[in-house]
Each structure stands twice: as C-alpha cells, then as structure tokens.
C-alpha cells in the first residue's frame, strides 16, 4: 500500500570556532560514530575545520577542499579508493550541506556518499556518510551490452511474475556495486563493476500494480544478477484527468500524448474535485517546503518536463484506473510524476508522495528493509506536516491529527501518534516489528518507529520511560530537512538516530529555525523514547 550518540551525551553543539587550518580530520580532536559493524559513519571535529588558505568559502569549493580528509576519515584512516566529487548543495540555516558522490575511474559507486555540514565560512562542522573502501576488477566498457537488459528483464519477470511484454527498461548505466551500500546486507563488501538497469511494469504484490525495479548485472558476466529489488513507492503545476479510463499504470504520465493537461498553473478550477484538490495540494506542499525548510524549489528539484509546452512542473494524474482495478485504490510516485485513484487526492497523501521525490533526489534511500522504512517514514512525516500546517483544510481536525489517509477513500491507514492502533511498531524491534521479507522487508509496517519519533518531537510526551518536551513543527521540520541531506542510501535506524542528533547540532550552529542546544537534548530523548539504536562513539 502507498502508505500501507552524536557529538556528545549532553547534546551540546561544539563551541564557536577558532578553527584548525588543516582539512586532515585525523589530526584534530573529534567524535567518531561507527555502525554496528564498526565502520565509521560520522565524524564531528571538536572545533570546525577551516578551509585551506586560499580556498574560496563558497560551499562547492570548500567541500571539495575538505574531500580528501573526509574520505580518509570515513574510511577509518585506512585505505581509500576513488575520489569524492561534489554532487549537490543544500542550504541549512546560514550554512549548507554539500553531498559528494564517490567515483572510481570516473564511474559512480552506487549509494556511496559523504554529506559535509559546512558553516557559512566554509569550515567543516561534521561529515556523515558511507563509502566503499575496496574495489575489485575494471570496466572493460561502460557501454552496456544488449545482454545486460535481457538478463535484468528476465530477473524481474521471474520475481514479479509479470509477462515480459509488460516490462520495459527505462535506463541502463554503469555503476560500481557494493552490497553494503545497496543495503543488501550489513557485512562490509567490495565494489565491483556492474550495470544498473531500471525497469517499469506490473508489480508482484497485486496484479496490475505499477512498479519500478532496480537490477544490478555483473559487468564481467552479463548473465549474472548481483542484486535486484522493487523501488515501487505507493502512496509550476500540471494536473491531468484520466477520467477513470482503464490504462496501464506505467502509461499514466501527465502531459503525454495519452493523458493531456486538464488544469495548469494560474488557471481557474475546472470543477472536478480530484483535479482541483491535487492542484491546490501540490502548491501547498511546495509552499510548506519553501516556508519550513531550505529545500530547493520542488518544481526544480523533482519536476518533470514532458515536452507538452508547460515546461518543468509538478505533475499529477488523477482518477486512475488500471485494467485490473477501477477505481484504483491507491496512489504512487513514479519517479517523475504522481498518480491517484479516485478519492485518494488528500493533502497528506500528496505531501507523502512528493516527499518520495525529495528523498529520491537528496539521499536516495534504498526502498527495502530499514532504509525503506525510513524512506516511507520521511514521506509520512512531511506529508503530515503539510496537512497539519494547513489550517484552511476542513479535514484538519483534532480527531484527524497524525492520522494518515483521513478523509480519503482509503480511510485512515496509519496513526503516527499511536502506530500500534494499525499494528505498526512505535519502538525499534518492539511489538509489531516486522522481520520478514514481504512488503520489501516491512517498509510500511516498520515506518511506525520513525513516525512516532517525529510525532513525539513535535508534540512531546512519554514513551518507554523517557519524557520528551515538545519542539513544535517549525523546529522539527527544519531538523528533518537537515537530516534528509545527511542520510546515505543504506542508512538504517541507527544511522537515523545519529543523523537526527547531528542535524540538530548543525542547525544550532547555522541558526536554523531558532534551534537551541536545549532542543538537541529533546531530540536525543526522542531517539531514546522509541529505542532507536544509539551508535557507538569514540574520540
């Protein structure tokens, strides 16, 4: 279904910098956080590290100047492989988060990233990330042979039990593949040459369900699949009305020859409830992100240009019917547009699905197991934030607070304040925690832990003997946005716990949303209340 310890025990941020002048993190006092296998995950210098003399303070140049030291630190001061290259910059208060990707021989390593938190002067506050530390083999060519796509299509047909003619390859690209970074397992592994194949088509859980699959094929043996999983995420404006026609869901793109625009930016309501609601809620979601976070404009970040003359836009198709289900009882983010069944066009669902696009374009959390649960939770959190801050929405009542799907044709399907009411856990590996392989490893069920963590931060309360003082939505939204910029593609709940605390300290230093050191104590308390793993730290 769509929705179906950090820098110190006190929570205090580092004091104002009299910054060291070296970018070598090994040479300065610091706090190092490691994952459950001992791999370095986060490094926070006791004092921010200034950029080398002569380096511009602008974020991209400063981040690149810190890159060598950062890579060495995330590798545990051991061997390093490849290079770090600036990929994106996100504003955080007066500072920024700069995300760098790892490349080996100029080919990216899937999921390998380092997120540098920088002050306004370019000094390094912290780094969070996960990198490959070893590689094996070489690419004979980065041009994928035809056999690569054939192998990938065969694998997805077997896994999804779909007819091959209902599957299509949408992209094939050379990547280094490291199982740890793809969240396949928790054991350290080695990056090997591979081709990443993206496939759209019918899903496995329900006949006719739209789905997106990722398959990694060994570049040295094109008949060998290294890994595969479903990336299906259920649950300037352009809105298209499918008018309940039965179509293939992977042909539901808004602004194509099959489905043309019904309402576009600046034009008046058309009198179709689903069309007009989604138009308003796309705008409200973009407005929320603009007001409460420093995310890039959503149209620019996740919009799509189909060539229909309306340019890059947030696009949605409503009143979708598939050949197997009419009306379609769900909604989904396709990777470039949203699609809804009739009556599923609520504000929280819209914010939820658009946030899948934000996650896709910031940290790329893999959609399975704990990373997938965090992906789902991030969408629940921001979807509910959009809804709760819209006081003009008649559905926004005290009775519906934190209830996802309220006022939709689906009804309430998750309760962030009381996840157990819908058999979702509110505690890490507590009651209702799902440890099976269904639902991509419980991405919807186990999102309850992340949801409760956010809810108790906003409203305050007590859980598992820990009391949290309320931070409110403004500070919590800023916190979760910074956290989004810090997470890696394979981040689990331990990484989320660490990132939330680090994000809070970063927001204090960069004056984001008026966040204080006292607030960071409450953030740490919230992670303890839901029993998120408290990762080991050392100095």
């Amino acid at each position: 279904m769509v929705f179906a310890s950090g820098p110190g025990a006190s929570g205090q941020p580092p004091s104002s910098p009299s910054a060291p002048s070296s970018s070598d993190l090994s040479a300065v006092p610091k706090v190092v956080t490691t994952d459950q296998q001992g791999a370095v995950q986060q490094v926070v210098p006791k004092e921010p590290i200034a950029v080398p003399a002569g380096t511009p303070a602008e974020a991209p140049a400063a981040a690149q100047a810190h890159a060598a030291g950062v890579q060495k630190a995330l590798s545990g001061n051991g061997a390093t492989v490849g290079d770090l290259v600036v990929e994106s910059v996100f504003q955080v208060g007066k500072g920024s988060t700069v995300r760098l990707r790892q490349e080996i021989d100029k080919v990216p390593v899937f999921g390998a990233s380092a997120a540098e938190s920088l002050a306004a002067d370019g000094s390094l506050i912290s780094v969070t990330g996960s990198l490959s530390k070893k590689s094996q083999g070489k690419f004979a060519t980065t041009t994928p042979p035809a056999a690569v796509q054939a192998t990938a299509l065969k694998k997805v047909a077997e896994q999804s039990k779909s007819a091959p003619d209902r599957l299509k390859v949408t992209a094939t690209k050379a990547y280094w593949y490291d199982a740890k970074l793809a969240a396949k397992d928790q054991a350290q592994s080695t990056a090997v040459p591979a081709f990443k194949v993206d496939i759209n088509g019918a899903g496995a859980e329900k006949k006719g369900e739209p789905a997106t699959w990722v398959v990694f094929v060994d570049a040295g043996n094109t008949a060998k699949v290294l890994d595969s999983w479903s990336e299906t995420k259920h649950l300037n404006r352009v809105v298209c009305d499918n008018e309940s026609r039965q179509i293939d869901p992977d042909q539901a793109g808004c602004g194509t020859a099959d489905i043309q625009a019904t309402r576009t930016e600046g034009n008046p309501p058309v009198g179709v409830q689903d069309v007009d609601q989604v138009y308003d809620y796309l705008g409200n979601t973009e407005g929320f992100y603009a007001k409460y976070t420093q995310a890039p404009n959503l149209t620019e970040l996740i919009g799509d240009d189909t060539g229909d003359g309306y340019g890059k836009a947030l696009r949605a198709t409503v009143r979708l019917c598939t050949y197997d289900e009419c009306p379609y009882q769900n909604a989904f983010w396709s990777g470039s547009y949203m699609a809804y069944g009739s009556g599923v066009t609520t504000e929280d669902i819209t914010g939820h699905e658009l946030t899948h696009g934000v996650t896709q374009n910031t940290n790329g959390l893999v959609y399975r197991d704990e990373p997938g649960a965090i992906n789902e939770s991030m969408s629940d959190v921001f979807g509910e934030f959009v809804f709760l801050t819209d006081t003009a929405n008649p559905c926004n009542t005290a009775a519906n607070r934190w209830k996802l799907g309220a006022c939709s044709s689906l009804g309430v399907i998750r309760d962030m304040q009381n996840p157990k009411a819908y058999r979702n856990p509110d505690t890490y590996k507590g009651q209702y925690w799902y440890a099976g392989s269904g639902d991509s490893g419980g991405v919807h069920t186990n999102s309850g832990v992340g949801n409760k963590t956010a809810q108790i931060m906003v409203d305050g309360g007590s859980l598992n003997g820990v009391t949290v003082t309320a931070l409110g939505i403004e500070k919590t939204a800023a916190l979760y946005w910074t956290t989004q910029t810090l997470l890696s593609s394979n981040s689990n709940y331990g990484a989320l716990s660490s990132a939330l605390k680090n994000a809070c300290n970063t927001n204090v230093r960069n004056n984001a949303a008026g966040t204080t050191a006292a607030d960071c104590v409450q953030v740490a308390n919230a992670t303890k209340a839901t029993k998120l793993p408290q990762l080991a730290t050392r100095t």
Side-chain angles (χ1 to χ4, degrees):
M1 206 172 198
V2 176
F3 301 123
S5 85
S10 67
Q12 298 290 330
S15 58
S16 298
S18 52
S21 59
S22 169
S23 287
D24 184 359
L25 283 160
S26 67
V28 300
K30 57 191 172 294
V31 175
V32 178
T33 303
T34 56
D35 67 15
Q36 290 90 335
Q37 288 71 44
V40 176
Q41 183 183 74
Q42 178 178 288
V43 181
V44 183
K46 293 290 187 180
E47 301 292 347
I49 298 178
V51 293
T55 302
E58 287 77 15
Q64 199 66 67
H66 292 301
V70 160
Q71 185 171 9
K72 184 178 179 181
L74 289 178
S75 298
N77 294 321
T80 61
V81 60
D83 304 290
L84 294 182
V85 179
V86 172
E87 184 169 60
S88 53
V89 180
F90 300 100
Q91 195 72 21
V92 176
K94 295 181 179 179
S96 60
T97 297
V98 181
R99 295 186 66 87
L100 300 93
R101 66 178 178 272
Q102 185 181 23
E103 294 183 349
I104 302 174
D105 297 332
K106 297 186 178 180
V107 176
V109 181
F110 178 79
S113 65
E116 296 183 13
S117 294
L118 303 181
D121 63 0
S123 58
L124 180 67
I125 299 171
S126 69
V127 60
T128 303
S130 190
L131 304 177
S132 280
K133 300 171 182 62
K134 295 187 297 182
S135 66
Q136 179 178 312
K138 292 282 186 181
F139 277 93
T141 175
T142 55
T143 301
V148 168
Q149 294 187 0
T151 297
L153 285 167
K154 179 181 178 182
K155 180 65 174 180
V156 172
E158 292 172 351
Q159 285 188 284
S160 66
K161 298 179 175 57
S162 299
D165 61 0
R166 298 192 72 177
L167 303 172
K168 66 178 180 180
V169 173
T170 58
T172 306
K173 185 177 178 180
Y175 275 95
W176 291 84
Y177 168 81
D178 182 329
K180 182 178 177 68
L181 299 177
K184 184 176 182 180
D185 54 48
Q186 293 302 309
Q188 183 58 51
S189 57
T190 299
V192 297
F195 291 103
K196 176 177 177 281
V197 185
D198 298 325
I199 295 175
N200 285 351
E205 295 180 7
K206 190 174 183 180
K207 187 178 179 183
E209 186 83 0
T212 301
W213 290 77
V214 172
V215 183
F216 278 93
V217 178
D218 191 327
N221 177 2
T222 57
K224 180 181 179 181
V225 173
L226 299 174
D227 198 2
S228 65
W229 67 87
S230 172
E231 275 287 332
T232 306
K233 302 173 182 69
H234 301 292
L235 236 188
N236 188 24
R237 291 168 288 180
V238 175
V239 181
C240 299
D241 186 5
N242 182 60
E243 300 179 331
S244 298
R245 295 175 299 152
Q246 291 181 298
I247 62 171
D248 282 333
D250 61 358
Q251 296 176 348
C254 176
T256 64
D258 294 324
I259 306 180
Q260 299 180 21
T262 302
R263 184 178 179 188
T264 59
E265 187 63 43
N267 286 309
V270 297
V272 177
Q273 183 177 12
D274 282 335
V275 172
D276 293 331
Q277 280 191 170
V278 165
Y279 178 90
D280 290 341
Y281 295 155
L282 291 175
N284 290 354
T285 302
E286 185 169 84
F288 174 87
Y289 271 93
K291 180 177 180 179
Y292 290 95
T293 80
Q294 291 179 293
N297 174 274
L298 289 196
T299 298
E300 291 304 312
L301 182 63
I302 65 175
D304 186 39
D305 187 348
T306 64
D308 62 353
Y310 295 109
K312 193 172 188 179
L314 297 177
R315 295 175 178 268
T317 296
V318 302
R319 297 204 290 182
L320 174 66
C321 282
T322 70
Y323 289 123
D324 306 289
E325 185 177 34
C326 192
Y328 177 62
Q329 293 295 303
N330 222 320
F332 63 87
W333 166 256
S334 74
S336 59
Y337 64 87
M338 296 180 60
Y340 304 80
S342 180
V344 191
T345 53
T346 60
E347 193 162 25
D348 56 354
I349 294 177
T350 299
H352 173 107
E353 300 301 343
L354 286 178
T355 299
H356 276 312
V358 173
T359 299
Q360 172 186 314
N361 287 279
T362 51
N363 53 60
L365 280 162
V366 173
Y367 200 68
R368 62 178 174 186
D369 302 321
E370 289 187 33
I374 297 169
N375 190 320
E376 271 298 311
S377 178
M378 283 292 182
S379 283
D380 283 354
V381 167
F382 280 100
E384 190 68 7
F385 284 176
V386 173
F387 170 67
L388 291 178
T389 52
D390 183 5
T391 56
N393 189 327
C395 189
N396 185 359
T397 64
N400 289 333
R401 186 174 177 84
W402 303 113
K403 291 181 171 62
L404 295 157
C407 300
S408 75
S409 59
L410 302 175
V412 177
I413 49 95
R414 284 200 286 279
D415 185 339
M416 295 175 67
Q417 184 173 30
N418 181 20
K420 290 182 178 180
Y422 291 82
R423 300 183 69 83
N424 300 153
D426 63 7
T427 300
Y428 183 71
K429 295 193 174 178
Q431 187 181 18
Y432 300 128
W433 178 269
Y434 180 74
S437 59
D439 187 30
S440 297
V443 297
H444 294 97
T445 300
N446 295 339
S447 65
V449 179
N451 290 350
K452 182 61 181 180
T453 304
Q455 181 274 323
I456 203 170
M457 282 188 202
V458 172
D459 287 352
S462 297
L463 181 67
N464 292 319
V466 180
T467 299
V468 181
T469 301
L471 298 184
I473 286 180
E474 182 176 0
K475 290 181 179 179
T476 307
L479 171 75
Y480 269 76
W481 165 244
T482 302
T483 301
Q484 278 275 60
T485 69
L486 296 178
L487 293 172
S488 301
S489 64
N490 65 335
S491 290
N492 56 19
Y493 271 120
L496 176 64
S497 174
S498 180
L500 285 167
K501 290 177 282 186
N502 185 36
C504 189
N505 290 329
T506 297
N507 283 3
V508 173
R509 184 172 295 282
N510 284 329
N511 300 314
T515 306
T516 67
D519 295 328
C520 295
V521 174
Q522 301 311 315
V523 171
N525 285 345
T527 69
K528 294 172 184 174
T530 55
K531 295 189 177 181
L532 296 188
Q534 307 296 308
L535 298 182
T537 61
R538 56 180 171 81
T539 57

